[in-house]
Amino acid sequence: MELSKNFEPQALENKWYQHWLDKKYFSSTPDGREPYTIVMPPPNVTGVLHMGHCLNNSIQDILIRYARMQGKNACWVPGTDHASIATEAKVVGMLRERGITKSSLSREEFLEYAWEWKEKYGGIILQQLKKLGFSLDWDRTSFTMDPDYYQSVIKVFIELHKKGMIYRGKRMINWDVKALTALSDEEVIRKETKQKLYHLRYSIHESDDSILIATVRPETIMGDTAICVHPDDERYKHLHGKFAIVPLINRRIPIITDDYVTMEFGTGALKVTPAHDMNDNQLGQKHGLEVVDIFNDNGTLSEEAQIYVGLDRFDARKQIVKELEEKEFLIKTEDYTSEVGYSERTDAVVEPRLSLQWWLSMKDLATPALKTVMEEEIQFYPPKFKNLYRHWMENIKDWCISRQLWWGHRIPAWFDEEGRYVVASNETEAKEMFNSQFAIPNAQLQQDEDCLDTWFSSWLWPFEVFKGYSNPGNKEVNYYYPTNTLVTAPEIIFFWVARMIMAGFEFKNEKPFEAVYFTGIVRDKQGRKMSKSLGNSPDLLGLIDQYGADATRFGIMIASPAGNDILFDESSLEQGRNFNNKMWNALKLVKMWDGRQAVSGEPSANSFPTEWFENRLHEVRIEVDDQMQQFRISEALKVIYSLIWDDFCSWYLEWVKPGFEQPIDAAVYEKTIGFFTDLMQLLHPFMPFVTEEIYHLLKERQDDLCVKQFAVAGKPDTTILNNALLLKEIVTGLRDVRNKQQIKPKDSIVLHIQTENITVYKSIESILSKQVNAKSISYTKNAVPGTITTVIGKDQFCIETEQPLDTGKQKDELQKELEHLKGFLISVDKKLGNEKFVANAKPEVIALEQKKKSDAETKIRVIEESLKQL
């Protein structure tokens, strides 16, 4: 079979992925092996594959494939989240295109359309994940509104309500005027926003006096029910107990005092609007102020506003500012920047408002969830996120869990006309409870219209994908739970990670996972977060088509240390494609030797290359295993990349390559096939397609790399490894000298080596002579006159060549090297002479500096001797 010029991924990716699926390699059932479980953070059913998904799921696939190849029972559970707000917005958009409004439909009719949309578009992202070769157990695909899952969410609500942890109350909430729903604090994104600060004059009742206030929200003055000043502010002491008149609507409001007010900010006088500001609401409760809600649900002004009724709040602001200016209530306007809350889902400016909602008390839930992370029973990678987690958990607020939406888990509360209610899983049960509680048989009840917050279902994810709540004793949840690793983004540490830990302890009395790996955010080359509006988010599916799945995975992983943001550059995908082609060309070279082996039994001319590479493999296996245990996944890939590109392709294959039309030793060839196989196995979790293909092309096989178990790494021989480092350093150094002296590669040289380590050189002599085209190598105690001299390491090399010598050029080169080494020696001496450094540095660091000094001194001595000879 003739191999293509370059690796061509498209056809091979489809072939191998289908093969793995057919073989059920990704399917897992409980058995006697050690389980390794990951539950995928469920993407929204509205989602389309982007770079964040690529990063997050590539990491999970690497971990799951690595565990599978370690012999563990690897189980990676896929699924999607129903995403209440996002999905409802998509369905409303679909209906709008069909000329239908949500308000014209009953709840049941709307939900029929929602399920239609979900069935048509909801699985797209899961199909797209297959393009990247992710080894998910597709038989286990879950959805947060699957029947069993849905019932579990409802039962959890009922259980927590029975415990008194879920309650109903009218409190200040964040209101999304676009989605027409309440939001939790975590669903509000605070953004620095440029605004205007308006200085307004309020007249004092029955006086010619007035008081100035400063506000960024003049459209809320109709909701003002007081003006507050600091009790110690001398400017306003004469106004204590008096009344002010609200401009435009002439409402009389009291002037109150409270040390909450900052005298230095604005005018030192604060307008108090209890219905539309969180802090004002607390002031209002403290002072018993009236609450005037001037906004409708959609952010337009209500009848309570008295003026500009029905106008959008921001349009009303413009009109009110204009009228205030005309009537001389607006004294001045200045630029002002402050944080404004935006809805995470719709990007609408959030409106604080009083609303009757369902709440979950969080303090008792947070206690074990905080303890388990701080005591590292659950480990965070990187650990810096522990402090962020602790701060939030120690200051946790009750969770607003109700949403004014139809798509989602409907709150199981049932009301009569008087507003009395019971919490029950269905209407029959509710009527029985109502009769028992209120002595009203067969009452006419209506179920609460609201749905539960999306996160109230996804916090059950790690155990409910195994039906751990709906069927708590089942063998699957007992086997797979707690899971091993959660891979997620730090921005949902509160939304999801913390709440899953709480749910794990509340409903399973156990942590949900052993470790949490936090990815960074994928940014563009300029450090900007990728977004549609900036047009800097690449078409991931297009990149996969262009570069292949392996190169795409490589490109995102090579630059993604845990927890740090990734500056995405398409050149990293080109690097991945080049890596594919490098391995492909190495395969073609090795396949050329097939059938050209020397007669079996002939001794190898030199066993050093195979001995070295065997030990190098042991060394890297141990290093990679250590990196993977510490979740240093990007670093592990870099180590494997260097091993294949540099050590195997650039050095090993050159060292064992037979001469032109010469056979290769049979034992060396078999070892080379074995090494190439081991390399593909090591790389497979990172780049599964190219490695599986090469694995099968190297030799005829019955098994697949996807499930091939790692061998136990042997102990590397450091002597052989150090000898190889020396060999590489010498070859590189001598090639550099040849190049500078313009000695053509085809021209052979005679090499004289002045060294105290002749035994070491004897073991690498045949490779060295081949690599630098030396027809002979000899060892000398003194420099050889009439030769080109150079120093590599601690040894001197004299190169004898037929071309005329340029001693002046040699002198210049050696003098330049000497000056560099003397400067280097001064810097090392300075460091070792620093008492503070010596006192604080680790012993191994000091030993390294002392070695640098000794090596530099030896080199200087040898170069000075060489210069004397010249």
Side-chain angles (χ1 to χ4, degrees), residues 9-10 13 49-52 54-55 131-132 522-523 530 536-556 568-574 576-577 580:
Q10 281 72 22
E13 289 171 359
L49 204 61
H50 57 62
M51 296 308 294
C54 177
L55 170 64
K131 293 271 288 179
L132 281 159
V522 184
R523 300 182 182 275
M530 290 182 171
N536 63 346
S537 187
D539 173 11
L540 181 54
L541 294 173
L543 292 175
I544 296 169
D545 288 339
Q546 184 179 353
Y547 294 98
D550 287 326
T552 304
R553 289 167 63 127
F554 175 94
I556 198 81
F568 176 75
D569 189 337
E570 201 171 319
S571 63
S572 64
L573 273 68
E574 291 174 18
R577 182 170 61 189
N580 276 339

Side-chain angles (χ1 to χ4, degrees), residues 275-372:
H276 301 296
D277 183 273
M278 302 280 186
N279 297 317
D280 287 9
N281 184 260
Q282 290 179 9
L283 265 179
Q285 288 181 42
K286 184 177 177 182
H287 293 274
L289 299 176
E290 184 187 0
V291 178
V292 180
D293 186 347
I294 64 164
F295 290 128
N296 295 313
D297 289 354
N298 63 358
T300 58
L301 269 59
S302 69
E303 294 288 342
E304 291 282 347
Q306 302 179 44
I307 56 176
Y308 301 109
V309 175
L311 202 61
D312 177 79
R313 56 191 169 152
F314 295 122
D315 293 332
R317 179 184 293 179
K318 293 173 189 172
Q319 296 299 322
I320 287 166
V321 167
K322 187 179 176 185
E323 187 176 346
L324 288 167
E325 191 171 18
E326 287 170 356
K327 294 181 176 177
E328 298 183 350
F329 291 113
L330 179 60
I331 305 305
K332 71 171 180 176
T333 306
E334 57 188 0
D335 291 332
Y336 181 69
T337 300
S338 68
E339 279 194 347
V340 174
Y342 291 80
S343 166
E344 188 217 10
R345 287 290 173 214
T346 65
D347 205 38
V349 173
V350 166
E351 195 60 58
R353 70 183 303 196
L354 271 172
S355 182
L356 185 61
Q357 301 286 342
W358 291 93
W359 302 82
L360 175 57
S361 176
M362 299 296 280
K363 204 151 195 175
D364 291 344
L365 288 170
T367 303
L370 174 60
K371 182 174 178 282
T372 195

Side-chain angles (χ1 to χ4, degrees), residues 729-745:
E729 186 183 7
I730 294 164
V731 169
T732 303
L734 293 178
R735 283 176 175 173
D736 187 47
V737 172
R738 287 184 65 121
N739 188 42
K740 285 177 180 174
Q741 296 294 328
Q742 297 180 337
I743 302 171
K744 294 174 184 174

